[in-house]
Amino acid sequence: MLKKKSAEDIVIDTITYSILAIIMFATLYPFYYVLIVSFNEGTDSMLGGMYALPRKFTLENYRSFLSDSAWYSAFGITVARTVVGSLLSVIVTALVAYGLSQKQLLFKQTYFTIVIIAMYFSGGLIPYYVVLRSLNLLNTFAVYVVPSMLSTFFLLIAVSFFREIPPELKESAHIDGANDLRVFFQIVLPVSKPLLATMALFAGVGQWNSWLDSAYFVQNDALRTLTFRMMETINKSQIPTDAVAYATGASNVTGYSLQVTAMVVSIIPIVCVYPFLQKHFVGGMMLGSVKE
């Protein structure tokens, strides 16, 4: 039987839900505003005063976005670096973490010391640039995925996770003649889905949103990423004559409307992928936080 709420409980619940509703509105409305601006005429959006629905509905912003081959190329490069970079980051980080989780590993403490130092200290942008140049990674697709193959943050979490796996599973596989790599791929990884999903989600979002490497280490326009193109559009939209520069004939497309359209297009893949990883992601966020 449900207990009847007192007047005090009703007041507290009302205040709590009101605060949560305000927070939810403040969090979601910017995304909604970007969406309605992308479906509104660019020159009309510059006038402001639009809050709920597009004032002059149009698909011209999306036509302009999709008609520019530079955006297509940037979108393809971003998808490729996200898929390849996330896959390499998960596999390499998990492999290194699995090795460091072994009790019989020699010089284990030295390896952990190196990882901690690398995690908290950096040589700076210029030494990093010199290293990339010496490895012939500049102005190549590899500059997007090779430096991010090992995540020191998730390395420590993965080591803690692998240590919690019952050793009997690995021992029984070794008795059956399996080597370490086979144990890793066929025994360890299948029981590590929450860890792998969390690593993949964070690595994917990081790769998708990254633009500094495209700005500093790439000169080939064919290798520019979607976020770099967006930053270019943002910088152009700061020019006072932006509306005149971008409005062509009856298209009414401005730099700002093209910018928010690119934002919507860039958000869609993340929104589509997240629901499939949410279950593992929620469990993965607790990895290493509770010790028995």
Side-chain angles (χ1 to χ4, degrees), residues 60-78:
E60 195 64 34
N61 296 320
Y62 288 91
R63 293 193 188 99
S64 178
F65 176 83
L66 296 176
S67 64
D68 190 347
S69 60
W71 288 107
Y72 276 108
S73 175
F75 188 82
I77 290 294
T78 303

Side-chain angles (χ1 to χ4, degrees), residues 82 86-87 90 154 195-205 277:
T82 300
S86 301
L87 185 62
V90 170
F154 276 108
L195 171 68
L196 301 179
T198 305
M199 291 171 58
L201 184 60
F202 274 93
V205 172
L277 297 177

Side-chain angles (χ1 to χ4, degrees), residues 12-291:
I12 293 176
D13 288 345
T14 302
I15 295 175
T16 301
Y17 289 129
S18 299
I19 294 175
L20 291 176
I22 294 173
I23 295 175
M24 182 180 69
F25 177 80
T27 303
L28 296 180
Y29 182 74
F31 296 97
Y32 177 73
Y33 181 75
V34 167
L35 181 63
I36 63 175
V37 170
S38 70
F39 285 105
N40 195 71
E41 286 187 1
T43 52
D44 181 74
S45 300
M46 303 293 288
L47 302 176
M50 182 176 59
Y51 306 106
L53 295 171
R55 190 163 45 217
K56 292 185 178 180
F57 182 85
T58 182
L59 296 176
E60 195 64 34
N61 296 320
Y62 288 91
R63 293 193 188 99
S64 178
F65 176 83
L66 296 176
S67 64
D68 190 347
S69 60
W71 288 107
Y72 276 108
S73 175
F75 188 82
I77 290 294
T78 303
V79 171
R81 71 169 294 179
T82 300
V83 174
V84 176
S86 301
L87 185 62
L88 289 176
S89 179
V90 170
I91 293 177
V92 173
T93 301
L95 274 170
V96 176
Y98 180 68
L100 291 176
S101 67
Q102 304 304 306
K103 295 181 180 179
Q104 68 274 19
L105 180 67
L106 297 177
F107 309 113
K108 182 189 299 186
Q109 193 59 42
T110 302
Y111 296 143
F112 274 108
T113 302
I114 295 174
V115 170
I116 295 298
I117 293 175
M119 185 176 179
Y120 288 103
F121 299 97
S122 171
L125 181 61
I126 295 178
Y128 183 57
Y129 181 90
V130 172
V131 171
L132 294 179
R133 185 179 63 180
S134 65
L135 296 175
N136 296 321
L137 294 178
L138 295 179
N139 208 33
T140 65
F141 179 80
V143 77
Y144 294 142
V145 297
V146 172
S148 60
M149 286 197 302
L150 181 64
S151 171
T152 54
F153 173 74
F154 276 108
L155 178 66
L156 300 179
I157 295 178
V159 169
S160 176
F161 181 88
F162 290 146
R163 284 176 176 172
E164 300 299 321
I165 296 178
E168 292 79 11
L169 290 176
K170 295 176 285 186
E171 291 173 358
S172 61
H174 282 303
I175 293 174
D176 291 336
N179 55 30
D180 289 329
L181 283 178
R182 187 172 181 181
V183 170
F184 175 75
F185 284 105
Q186 296 187 0
I187 303 297
V188 176
L189 288 188
V191 300
S192 306
K193 289 182 180 179
L195 171 68
L196 301 179
T198 305
M199 291 171 58
L201 184 60
F202 274 93
V205 172
Q207 288 282 1
W208 187 266
N209 292 330
S210 179
W211 67 274
L212 282 175
D213 45 10
S214 183
Y216 292 160
F217 309 131
V218 172
Q219 289 79 43
N220 187 355
D221 281 343
L223 292 175
R224 299 295 191 184
T225 61
L226 182 63
T227 47
F228 177 83
R229 296 293 182 191
M230 289 174 59
M231 287 302 301
E232 276 190 328
T233 306
I234 292 172
N235 292 333
K236 290 178 181 177
S237 67
Q238 305 302 319
I239 302 175
T241 57
D242 175 72
V244 178
Y246 277 91
T248 56
S251 64
N252 293 317
V253 176
T254 66
Y256 178 69
S257 64
L258 194 62
Q259 170 192 334
V260 296
T261 303
M263 290 181 183
V264 173
V265 173
S266 66
I267 291 173
I268 289 175
I270 300 296
V271 173
C272 293
V273 171
Y274 181 78
F276 297 99
L277 297 177
Q278 183 180 12
K279 178 180 67 174
H280 299 300
F281 176 70
V282 173
M285 288 300 294
M286 299 299 295
L287 295 176
S289 61
V290 179
K291 298 293 183 183

